[in-house]
């Protein structure tokens, strides 16, 4: 009997594809069905019923439409949560498998990465941009950049004193790490790289998906105002931009 194994990188990539389709197709269709059902409910009129009875029927149809949409949205959100958990589980397992197996291997890796960081820092100090350095790096250098670059970049920017510092913002280390990890994918063994790529895809698409879900949740519940659609679209777009890696060199 063959051993039973858990989800792998193929499952993880399939999960990220499903999440993409959820945002592009499933949520769009759910919103359309809700809109059609609400329009039908609000325009319902039976000439054989009294005005009061027609009003009760319209309220009943609207309540049913919202209940059905709520059930559909709950299912979609549950499946999205399960897909995200699967992707992260596979990526964590692959990352653990790629770590040095003993103290000697760990020491050798740290020595290589320390030397790689010295070379990368010299390039940065000489004026090379972060995307240029990342694009030209091997695996050891990318691991070194992942450990050292956020602190290095933060140290290059000193917050101005007084009112001049009011608009100061720290560099987002998460975006830097995603950019490095995108470059690292191509240097990893196939299965490990595929698992990391799936997690990076998830990290980029999930924030916008959550904003879209939240906006649709307000519509389903009947708490959305007239600007909800535009506000949700803008929030999702900003989330997409913040989750993206740096532009290529």
């Amino acid at each position: 009997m063959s051993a039973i194994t858990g989800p792998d990188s193929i499952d993880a990539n399939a999960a990220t594809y499903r999440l993409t389709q959820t945002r592009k197709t499933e949520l769009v269709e759910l919103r359309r069905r809700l809109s059609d059902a609400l329009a039908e409910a609000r325009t319902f009129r039976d000439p054989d019923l009294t005005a009061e009875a027609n009003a009760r029927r319209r309220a009943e149809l609207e309540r049913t439409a919202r209940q059905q949409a709520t059930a559909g949205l709950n299912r979609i959100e549950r499946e999205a949560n399960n897909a995200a958990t699967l992707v992260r589980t596979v990526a964590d397992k692959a990352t653990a498998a790629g770590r040095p197996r003993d103290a000697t291997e760990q020491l050798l890796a740290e020595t290589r990465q320390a030397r790689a960081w010295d070379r990368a820092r010299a390039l940065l100090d000489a004026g090379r941009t972060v995307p240029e350095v990342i694009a030209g790096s091997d695996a050891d250098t990318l691991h070194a950049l992942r450990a050292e670059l956020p602190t290095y970049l933060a140290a290059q920017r000193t917050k101005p004193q007084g009112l001049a510092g009011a608009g100061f913002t720290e560099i987002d280390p998460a975006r830097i790490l995603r950019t490095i990890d995108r470059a690292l994918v191509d240097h990893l063994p196939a299965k490990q790289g595929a698992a990391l790529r799936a997690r990076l895809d998830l990290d980029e698409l999930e924030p916008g998906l959550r904003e879209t879900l939240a906006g649709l949740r307000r519509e389903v519940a009947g708490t959305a105002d007239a600007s909800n659609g535009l506000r949700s679209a803008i929030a999702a777009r900003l989330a997409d931009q913040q989750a993206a890696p740096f532009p290529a060199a």
Side-chain angles (χ1 to χ4, degrees):
M1 181 181 295
S2 61
I4 298 175
T5 59
D8 59 15
S9 59
I10 295 176
D11 300 310
N13 279 284
T16 58
Y17 175 79
R18 288 198 304 273
L19 287 169
T20 301
Q21 294 305 114
T22 292
R23 182 174 172 185
K24 290 173 60 177
T25 303
E26 283 193 86
L27 294 181
V28 172
E29 291 178 353
L30 190 149
R31 177 180 283 109
R32 178 186 55 77
R33 290 196 301 270
L34 174 63
S35 178
D36 290 347
L38 290 177
E40 182 178 346
R42 289 164 182 168
T43 57
F44 175 84
R45 181 179 179 279
D46 186 336
D48 295 329
L49 297 177
T50 65
E52 185 176 323
N54 271 308
R56 286 198 301 270
R57 181 59 177 155
R58 284 193 290 270
E60 179 184 338
L61 288 172
E62 180 171 343
R63 185 166 55 251
T64 298
R66 293 193 185 282
Q67 289 172 345
Q68 291 175 346
T70 297
L73 190 59
N74 287 344
R75 174 189 60 78
I76 290 172
E77 192 160 20
R78 184 169 60 251
E79 291 175 355
N81 290 338
N82 290 341
T85 297
L86 183 150
V87 171
R88 292 195 170 96
T89 298
V90 171
D92 289 346
K93 181 179 177 181
T95 300
R99 293 193 184 106
R101 288 167 291 183
D102 55 40
T104 300
E105 190 174 332
Q106 175 70 31
L107 180 60
L108 289 173
E110 289 176 354
T111 300
R112 292 195 308 270
Q113 289 166 25
R115 292 171 178 168
W117 170 242
D118 288 341
R119 294 191 295 271
R121 184 174 57 192
L123 292 174
L124 291 166
D125 290 342
R128 294 286 184 88
T129 66
V130 169
E132 286 174 341
V133 173
I134 291 175
S137 294
D138 58 15
D140 284 332
T141 306
L142 290 169
H143 283 297
L145 289 171
R146 203 179 195 287
E148 304 293 346
L149 188 57
T151 301
Y152 171 88
L153 293 177
Q156 307 306 304
R157 302 178 75 240
T158 303
K159 182 177 180 179
Q161 298 296 317
L163 294 177
F168 180 84
T169 57
E170 296 286 353
I171 291 176
D172 179 9
R175 195 177 184 198
I176 296 171
L177 297 179
R178 283 194 297 271
T179 305
I180 295 170
D181 285 344
R182 280 288 180 194
L184 185 59
V185 162
D186 295 331
H187 296 275
L188 296 175
K191 290 185 178 179
Q192 188 180 349
L196 176 58
R197 184 180 293 108
R199 198 211 75 208
L200 292 170
D201 289 343
L202 172 67
D203 290 345
E204 288 185 29
L205 69 89
E206 190 177 29
L209 173 61
R210 296 298 178 190
E211 291 291 349
T212 304
L213 280 166
L216 187 50
R217 179 73 68 181
R218 291 190 292 270
E219 290 184 35
V220 169
T223 60
D225 57 26
S227 66
N228 182 73
L230 178 60
R231 180 156 52 95
S232 297
I234 293 174
R237 180 60 179 159
L238 288 174
D240 290 338
Q241 291 175 348
Q242 291 169 359
F246 285 136

